Amino acid sequence: MNDVPQFATVVKPSDESVSSSTTLQNDDHLILSLPTNSTFIMDAMIIYLSPGNADFKGAWSGPSGATLQWFTDAGSSAETVGVHAVNRIVYQISETTSILAPGLDPFLMCYKPKGILTTGGSNGNLTFRWAQATSQASAAVAKAGSWIRLHKIA
């Protein structure tokens, strides 16, 4: 742990939009470089704006051999406007979760993915990936101020 900072954080400096697409795309800013053979606690706050009928979905990518078991504090996209169940399903690094965007008008929302990330013998990047859950002409927006933080534990 002498050559790698104990903490690494990236903050999104500007908004990014996706319209009419459910294809996951790499976020332009929410990317952190990872060393080999290390273990991290990962947490993030993704601030997003999405039309209610489009919702929002997120996933992660990492270097070959990396594992990430993660969950998120967010309303499930299967919920309707009102009181929402919180999704606590544990996902793997490339699995996608759809996240609620309530109502038919865009609302500013956030969700808080957390997990344990382990890298193998390959270095590379941890990258947040996202898109609309349902294709709509109105844009989904990953907002400035979103962030990812890693705390190296081994």
Side-chain angles (χ1 to χ4, degrees), residues 8-12 27 29-32 41-46 60 113 117 126-129 145-150:
T9 304
V10 63
V11 178
K12 191 167 183 59
D27 189 272
H29 309 108
L30 296 177
I31 303 165
L32 283 170
I41 295 171
M42 183 277 295
D43 66 327
M45 183 174 82
I46 309 300
W60 301 90
L117 170 68
L126 174 68
T127 304
F128 180 63
R129 298 173 48 77
S146 297
W147 54 267
I148 304 169
R149 176 177 51 201
L150 297 177

Side-chain angles (χ1 to χ4, degrees), residues 3-23:
D3 60 340
V4 177
Q6 197 70 14
F7 290 92
T9 304
V10 63
V11 178
K12 191 167 183 59
S14 59
D15 290 355
E16 184 176 347
S17 299
V18 169
S19 298
S20 302
S21 178
T22 61
T23 302

Side-chain angles (χ1 to χ4, degrees), residues 1-9 32-43 115-119 149-154:
M1 294 196 335
N2 294 333
D3 60 340
V4 177
Q6 197 70 14
F7 290 92
T9 304
L32 283 170
S33 178
L34 300 173
T36 60
N37 303 311
S38 300
T39 301
F40 302 88
I41 295 171
M42 183 277 295
D43 66 327
I116 188 89
L117 170 68
T118 303
T119 59
R149 176 177 51 201
L150 297 177
H151 175 193
K152 187 172 181 184
I153 57 174

Side-chain angles (χ1 to χ4, degrees), residues 6-154:
Q6 197 70 14
F7 290 92
T9 304
V10 63
V11 178
K12 191 167 183 59
S14 59
D15 290 355
E16 184 176 347
S17 299
V18 169
S19 298
S20 302
S21 178
T22 61
T23 302
L24 289 170
Q25 56 104 40
N26 291 344
D27 189 272
D28 290 344
H29 309 108
L30 296 177
I31 303 165
L32 283 170
S33 178
L34 300 173
T36 60
N37 303 311
S38 300
T39 301
F40 302 88
I41 295 171
M42 183 277 295
D43 66 327
M45 183 174 82
I46 309 300
I47 304 165
Y48 66 94
L49 184 67
S50 183
N53 53 354
D55 287 329
F56 188 89
K57 66 182 179 180
W60 301 90
S61 67
S64 177
T67 62
L68 172 62
Q69 292 183 310
W70 65 283
F71 74 98
T72 183
D73 286 336
S76 165
S77 64
E79 295 294 320
T80 57
V81 175
V83 177
H84 307 291
V86 174
N87 181 353
R88 291 285 171 91
I89 297 169
V90 174
Y91 296 94
Q92 301 305 311
I93 193 165
S94 62
E95 291 182 303
T96 303
T97 181
S98 294
I99 303 146
L100 177 69
L104 297 177
D105 294 318
F107 287 90
L108 192 60
M109 302 284 291
C110 80
Y111 80 108
K112 300 268 304 164
K114 319 171 183 41
I116 188 89
L117 170 68
T118 303
T119 59
S122 299
N123 61 0
N125 294 325
L126 174 68
T127 304
F128 180 63
R129 298 173 48 77
W130 63 278
Q132 294 176 321
T134 302
S135 181
Q136 297 292 323
S138 297
V141 181
K143 299 294 286 178
S146 297
W147 54 267
I148 304 169
R149 176 177 51 201
L150 297 177
H151 175 193
K152 187 172 181 184
I153 57 174

